[in-house]
Amino acid sequence: MTGVPHDLALLLPGFVTTLGLTALTLAMGLPLAVVAGVCLRSGRRWVTVPVIVVIEVLRGMPALVTLYFVYYGLPAADVVLTDTLSICVAFGLTFVAYTAPILAAAIATVPHAHVEAGDALGLSRWTVHTKVVLPQAIRAAAPPLISWTVILFQGTSLASVVGASDLFARATSLGAQQFAYTYYILLAAVFYAALSIPFLALAARLHRRRPAL
């Protein structure tokens, strides 16, 4: 097997690593984003103010700085994480910082009458939030959440600076070996686009079917 198919196959392990980093980051970041979004809507200043401060600090830091802080800074404080976990924690924090306000806005779009109906049925506040409010909020927030997932998927290319063997790292390594940087970067772009474009199209379709937050 030679030519472009062969070279794409060489990049495939890096693509799988990138998918794994994205999936693990989402598994960590999305539940935390939901919790942070709920806290932003709690109405209690002692809850909302610290969450807002953390979000603004994270939003004010480039993702690369957050990655360096987690990867190199935490071990200096005797908090040792694996390389993969460090990368996912750093990207997960950035993901939470940008998606928690989206989820908070989505929660605000849920009609209060639905909450009152749950209360009238004698449902607990926990049940009302988990069974009535959050499912509607997540559906409303789906388009921007999908878009941010795509940004996260593409942003994992930053993991190469701390030695991760992701798609971008593998492309640059092969480019250095073959003296063909542009060629392998373009092939990596094919992988990124092949996943990003369909998901962005899905987000746009969902957005057209639902009112903007």
Side-chain angles (χ1 to χ4, degrees), residues 22 26 95 99 144-155 199:
T22 303
L26 278 177
F95 180 81
T99 56
L145 287 178
I146 293 172
S147 296
W148 274 106
T149 299
V150 172
I151 293 172
L152 169 64
F153 165 67
Q154 296 173 348
F199 275 93

Side-chain angles (χ1 to χ4, degrees), residues 58 61 63-77 90 93:
L58 289 172
M61 294 171 56
L64 184 58
V65 173
T66 304
L67 175 59
Y68 269 72
F69 176 79
V70 173
Y71 191 82
Y72 293 109
L74 292 185
L93 289 174

Side-chain angles (χ1 to χ4, degrees), residues 24-117:
L24 183 55
T25 301
L26 278 177
M28 297 170 56
L30 190 55
L32 186 56
V34 172
V35 172
V38 171
C39 290
L40 290 174
R41 294 291 306 169
S42 71
R44 299 179 177 87
R45 290 180 59 84
W46 63 272
V47 174
T48 59
V49 170
V51 174
I52 291 172
V53 170
V54 172
I55 286 175
E56 292 304 318
V57 169
L58 289 172
R59 285 162 68 103
M61 294 171 56
L64 184 58
V65 173
T66 304
L67 175 59
Y68 269 72
F69 176 79
V70 173
Y71 191 82
Y72 293 109
L74 292 185
D78 294 326
V79 179
V80 180
L81 305 176
T82 64
D83 291 355
T84 298
L85 189 56
S86 296
I87 292 167
C88 293
V89 167
F91 290 154
L93 289 174
T94 301
F95 180 81
V96 169
Y98 284 97
T99 56
I102 293 172
L103 286 163
I107 291 172
T109 67
V110 177
H112 188 65
H114 293 188
V115 178
E116 293 176 340

Side-chain angles (χ1 to χ4, degrees), residues 31-32 34-36 38-39 44 107 114-116 118-136 138:
L32 186 56
V34 172
V35 172
V38 171
C39 290
R44 299 179 177 87
I107 291 172
H114 293 188
V115 178
E116 293 176 340
D119 292 338
L121 291 172
L123 301 178
S124 67
R125 186 49 57 94
W126 170 261
T127 301
V128 170
H129 274 85
T130 57
K131 301 296 185 180
V132 178
V133 176
L134 288 180
Q136 294 184 68
I138 291 174

Side-chain angles (χ1 to χ4, degrees), residues 176-208:
Q177 295 173 22
Q178 303 295 328
F179 300 100
Y181 276 108
T182 302
Y183 172 69
Y184 281 102
I185 293 300
L186 286 174
L187 290 184
V190 171
F191 278 103
Y192 285 117
L195 194 64
S196 298
I197 292 175
F199 275 93
L200 289 174
L202 174 62
R205 181 178 179 182
L206 292 175
H207 181 73
R208 287 192 298 267

